[in-house]
Amino acid sequence: MANDKLNIGLLTSELVDAYDRAVCEGAVIGSKNKDVNLFIFPGRYMETDYHDKERSTFDYQYNTLFDLPTLGDIDGLIISLGTIATLMSDDDKMRFLSKYNGIPVILVGSDISGYSNVVVDNRSGLRDTLEHLVTNHKVTKLAFLSGPETNADAEIRLSVYREVVAKYNLDVDDSYIAYGNFSEYSEEVVLELMERHPDIQAISCAN
């Protein structure tokens, strides 16, 4: 260990993303408080369709950074799997994580059996928001922009939307749901949703 300190690695996506930048800032504060060496590996996304083609064409080159942490050099890893692997299947996520066998790993934003994880409460805040729209603003035609169907957070948030729809007997069905990709490049599916249902009174977004 360099300087007799623990070497902790953080795998994240591009640092211009507000969420991942906040994760990095928190990790920097934590590393100072615990007096450990922090190494940030800012790749991109493991699926190139996450952003527009022009920006994502060379994601694979950035993602070679994820091959750098190795047992012996890194004492522990924090992996922001909820962002870098949001479009990957569970099997592909397990294959990705297997390269770090032997290194203690904590996942951020993804709950996978066998790994320690830090996840957010996907239910209470969203439920309050949806119920506010229904009870305070009398919204009955409530649509929902979900995230990728492979993303665990998106699945939970979508289930909350369905629970509220059922609780208040809203006159909507699954055609009022669109699936984006947790980025600003979801406008096309939103436009299709609004064209499909011009009677929409409100759209709640999973991100």
Side-chain angles (χ1 to χ4, degrees):
M1 294 180 288
N3 302 321
D4 294 324
K5 295 182 180 180
L6 289 174
N7 294 324
I8 305 299
L10 170 61
L11 273 58
T12 185
S13 68
E14 54 185 338
L15 298 181
V16 297
D17 179 86
Y19 171 82
D20 288 287
R21 189 167 62 248
V23 170
C24 290
E25 290 172 353
V28 169
I29 293 171
S31 66
K32 290 179 179 178
N33 289 341
K34 296 299 182 181
D35 195 28
V36 301
N37 297 316
L38 176 66
F39 299 89
I40 299 177
F41 301 90
R44 288 284 182 90
Y45 305 95
M46 298 304 295
E47 297 288 346
T48 57
D49 287 337
Y50 189 83
H51 276 27
D52 66 312
K53 295 296 183 182
E54 183 177 351
R55 292 183 63 197
S56 61
T57 300
F58 301 103
D59 276 7
Y60 71 95
Q61 294 180 343
Y62 288 88
N63 291 342
T64 58
L65 290 172
F66 297 150
D67 294 327
L68 296 180
T70 57
L71 184 63
D73 294 325
I74 294 293
D75 299 298
L77 276 177
I78 303 167
I79 303 178
S80 187
L81 198 67
T83 51
I84 63 178
T86 190
L87 293 179
M88 296 176 72
S89 68
D90 289 343
D91 288 342
D92 287 339
K93 289 176 183 176
M94 292 301 294
R95 278 190 286 271
F96 173 73
L97 292 171
S98 68
K99 70 173 68 177
Y100 308 114
N101 285 345
I103 303 175
V105 168
I106 295 177
L107 305 179
V108 176
S110 188
D111 185 1
I112 294 182
S113 178
Y115 290 89
S116 299
N117 60 79
V118 178
V119 294
V120 299
D121 178 1
N122 284 292
R123 294 186 176 277
S124 58
L126 177 58
R127 182 180 292 107
D128 290 346
T129 300
L130 294 171
E131 293 192 345
H132 173 82
L133 289 170
V134 175
T135 58
N136 290 59
H137 297 280
K138 310 305 178 186
V139 170
T140 58
K141 297 293 186 178
L142 178 59
F144 191 72
L145 175 61
S146 184
E149 295 182 79
T150 54
N151 182 271
D153 288 334
E155 291 178 1
I156 295 172
R157 295 168 194 172
L158 179 57
S159 71
V160 172
Y161 167 76
R162 288 192 166 119
E163 290 169 7
V164 171
V165 165
K167 177 179 178 179
Y168 291 95
N169 296 311
L170 300 185
D171 186 22
V172 296
D173 55 31
D174 280 358
S175 65
Y176 282 79
I177 300 170
Y179 294 89
N181 55 20
F182 277 174
S183 82
E184 63 267 38
Y185 303 100
S186 298
E187 61 184 51
E188 185 174 333
V189 295
V190 174
L191 290 173
E192 291 174 356
L193 173 63
M194 296 175 69
E195 290 174 359
R196 188 162 65 243
H197 291 293
D199 59 344
I200 288 173
Q201 297 169 303
I203 301 176
S204 179
C205 301
N207 189 327

